[in-house]
Amino acid sequence: MKKLCFSFILLIVLVLVACGSNSSGGNGNSNNKEGSSRDSITLKLADIQPDGFPTVVGAEEFAKLVEEKTDGRYKIDVYAGGQLGDEKSIIEELQLGSMDLARVNGVPLTEFNDKIGVLNLPFLFETQEEKWDVWTGEVGEEILESFLDNNMIGLAFYDNGERFFYSNKKAIKGLDEIKGQKIRVQESELAIDIVEALGASATPMAYDEVYSAIQTGVIDGAENNFPSFYTSGHYEVANYATLPGYQSVPEVLVGSKELWDSLSDEDKQHFKDAAMESIDTQREAWDELVIESQEEIEANGNEIVEINDIEPLREAVQSVYEKHGEVYKDLLDKILEEN
């Protein structure tokens, strides 16, 4: 009887040990991703813009599509409002593999990637159609894939509108009016060269200082897109805005190379397809915000000037192409071929 009881107890112990070893496997992912099982991995996506902003709307659509396409094996939590850091630190974390995914602006990415800067050149596209043909075409794909050399992977471009000039001094109707005006620019050699080629005085300055600088006359104006012109309150101190914009800087949906290398070929395609399909949702949200911002600015009484002939401005920035264009010669030639 004692032998029978001992055998029974031993059997129970062996069963418990076997069950414990089967349930302790985790998700098998060396990237330390969150996941409740082998079949579900949760990734983090960072964005510095607030909830409801078009880039966040696009990122949330991307997350939804990834979950659908992978049958729930991958889930993505979107952290908006800079919860996971500023853009530069986010990019650095992507390179280290400690961040999974992010939406970042094309300007800070130029510090890490040599090719994306071509898209920041002034008056590069004449129409929205030309821009999107390039961004979603062979040139765009070449630039996105080039991020692998920087320990990242580019997945898609998102819309960021067109940057235009605004001023409190006088309406900019052409080269004569912009000449001599003190225009705030981003702290970028290209940004400085563009404004100075147009005859203005480029003034690099932190973004949060622009409002008071225009208000007090330290600078005459600045440049940005409509939503930023509105949400920053700059329209309150700069009465004149000039269209069309002179520069289209993309937002970029990027992932870490470590994440990318961990995906199967099939899942890589799912992530890529989800990113490209999310573009339409992001663009719709962007267009709505532009219209809303422009209506509020016009209701405030600001004057919006339309320049019908921008050829003199294009000619004025040829010196920028001569200085910076050689770096991007191959890509520029391909862009001209596509258009």
Side-chain angles (χ1 to χ4, degrees):
M1 183 67 180
K2 290 181 178 179
K3 289 183 177 179
L4 182 60
C5 290
F6 177 77
S7 298
F8 181 70
I9 293 170
L10 181 61
L11 178 62
I12 291 174
V13 171
L14 290 172
V15 170
L16 290 174
V17 170
C19 291
S21 64
N22 285 338
S23 63
S24 63
N27 61 27
N29 191 296
S30 61
N31 295 333
N32 196 31
K33 311 303 177 195
E34 297 175 12
S36 59
S37 72
R38 184 186 300 273
D39 297 324
S40 179
I41 298 173
T42 300
L43 307 172
K44 293 181 179 180
L45 190 157
D47 195 314
I48 65 167
Q49 296 292 358
D51 284 323
F53 195 79
T55 55
V56 178
V57 172
E60 290 172 341
E61 178 70 8
F62 166 68
K64 184 188 79 170
L65 291 170
V66 165
E67 185 171 355
E68 290 175 357
K69 291 177 183 295
T70 63
D71 297 321
R73 288 181 292 104
Y74 284 94
K75 298 180 180 180
I76 300 172
D77 289 338
V78 177
Y79 291 81
Q83 295 180 62
L84 302 183
D86 60 26
E87 289 196 326
K88 186 173 182 180
S89 63
I90 287 170
I91 294 169
E92 291 170 347
E93 287 190 46
L94 284 167
Q95 292 182 304
L96 293 171
S98 54
M99 183 77 70
D100 302 312
L101 298 150
R103 188 288 314 160
V104 292
N105 184 263
V107 171
L109 281 170
T110 58
E111 294 184 33
F112 303 87
N113 180 278
D114 293 332
K115 291 191 174 184
I116 193 171
V118 70
L119 301 180
N120 298 343
L121 290 171
F123 302 108
L124 185 61
F125 306 110
E126 293 188 9
T127 65
Q128 287 289 306
E129 290 74 17
E130 283 186 8
K131 180 179 82 173
W132 283 102
D133 283 347
V134 170
W135 285 10
T136 59
E138 292 182 8
V139 171
E141 190 59 33
E142 179 180 341
I143 294 171
L144 291 172
E145 289 185 358
S146 74
F147 282 100
L148 285 170
D149 295 332
N150 314 113
N151 281 337
M152 295 179 281
I153 178 66
L155 296 171
F157 293 115
Y158 280 169
D159 207 351
N160 189 32
E162 280 65 53
R163 300 179 75 92
F164 59 87
F165 295 106
Y166 50 89
S167 172
N168 190 40
K169 187 174 184 179
K170 57 184 174 181
I172 298 173
K173 301 178 181 179
L175 293 174
D176 290 341
E177 288 78 20
I178 197 173
K179 185 176 181 181
Q181 289 209 43
K182 293 174 289 185
I183 303 294
R184 179 267 176 182
V185 297
Q186 294 170 299
E187 295 184 19
S188 153
E189 183 181 0
L190 176 62
I192 293 170
D193 289 343
I194 292 171
V195 168
E196 292 189 344
L198 292 170
S201 174
T203 308
M205 179 181 295
Y207 189 60
D208 58 5
E209 298 175 7
V210 175
Y211 187 104
S212 61
I214 296 175
Q215 189 176 42
T216 58
V218 173
I219 57 175
D220 300 310
E223 48 78 54
N224 218 314
N225 54 50
F226 261 115
S228 296
F229 182 43
Y230 174 61
T231 57
S232 64
H234 292 178
Y235 75 101
E236 298 171 351
V237 291
N239 296 324
Y240 309 103
T242 298
L243 297 178
Y246 72 96
Q247 185 184 48
S248 297
V249 178
E251 305 286 0
V252 192
L253 190 61
V254 290
S256 72
K257 185 176 184 294
E258 184 171 328
L259 168 64
W260 192 247
D261 289 343
S262 75
L263 300 176
S264 67
D265 289 343
E266 181 181 12
D267 284 334
K268 285 178 180 177
Q269 193 61 52
H270 288 324
F271 272 64
K272 183 64 178 177
D273 290 344
M276 297 301 288
E277 289 172 23
S278 71
I279 291 173
D280 285 345
T281 298
Q282 192 273 335
R283 288 185 66 185
E284 288 173 9
W286 180 264
D287 290 344
E288 290 173 4
L289 184 56
V290 169
I291 292 170
E292 177 186 336
S293 301
Q294 188 166 349
E295 288 176 347
E296 292 291 336
I297 290 165
E298 289 175 340
N300 186 61
N302 295 63
E303 182 180 345
I304 298 176
V305 178
E306 292 269 0
I307 299 178
N308 294 321
D309 182 11
I310 64 167
E311 282 308 309
L313 282 74
R314 283 181 179 275
E315 292 174 8
V317 298
Q318 283 309 300
S319 60
V320 175
Y321 278 82
E322 291 168 6
K323 179 177 179 179
H324 297 272
E326 189 61 32
V327 178
Y328 311 116
K329 185 179 185 306
D330 291 342
L331 287 171
L332 278 173
D333 288 344
K334 291 177 182 178
I335 289 173
L336 292 174
E337 286 176 10
E338 287 193 13
N339 291 328

